Amino acid sequence: MLTRSGVTFPAALGCSAAKTVTLNFLRDIFTPVIKDEVARIRDATAQLCEPLHDAFAWAVQRQRSRLPEMDGPAYGWIRTHMTRALVHSRLTSVAGSLGDWKLSGNHRRNGELWLTNDEYCTRLLHGFRDDHVPAPGPNRQRRAFYQNRPLTKFGQMTLLGPEDNDLLILWRIDAEGAPLFRVVRTIGTWRFGKEQLVDLDFPLLASASDLRDLHFEPQDEGLELELPNEETNDADGTGGFSW
């Protein structure tokens, strides 16, 4: 069970109406080693909560105030590029607020956004829906990035832990201009429209303390995320681990 008293998630993340969301982790196998690895990913990415929310909110506000004519549905593509450019500029200027993380990659290559620390490499990609993970496409570098070894293999954790530590941070902007983020760990490649291969998927909350306060408790019937005083809503049962 993954719990924290008083936590509420945005409606756009599909969690605000749920009291208990059932979570599956690769057929409900959840060893202490996996628990520790997921907690490490949670704690590492928690350093990015405030910096990313602040940078993206600033970028959206700046774009809307300076170029309001770009707000129409025909210009979504250019808003995505402008947001990435503004966020890169903002994170460059506040590099000291990123904790152990730093900008990496080649931003001149189509405005890519990468962040790395001593353990993990993250690629920030634009997502279209809360349940959407962009397919890797034919690019060999991206396909290699997607192919993390699963946290479990044949039902057991390997002694050396995960072979790779490549994560996606998927971002999108809601109708009110607020940024929403998910941290995703992919375990293979797929074609557009096919089943997504993911074994970890959770929202990057606006507050690092809120994210760090989430904790994991294995249960006999899988994992659950308890949110107080709301109605029950089952997860989609597609496997993987999300909260």
Side-chain angles (χ1 to χ4, degrees), residues 99-118:
D100 297 332
W101 295 86
K102 61 182 179 181
L103 284 167
S104 60
N106 183 4
H107 184 67
R108 289 175 292 183
R109 184 166 53 199
N110 202 32
E112 66 183 26
L113 280 173
W114 296 69
L115 289 162
T116 58
N117 68 2
D118 292 336

Side-chain angles (χ1 to χ4, degrees), residues 114-125:
W114 296 69
L115 289 162
T116 58
N117 68 2
D118 292 336
E119 285 190 89
Y120 302 104
C121 178
T122 69
R123 181 169 185 162
L124 279 75
L125 295 179

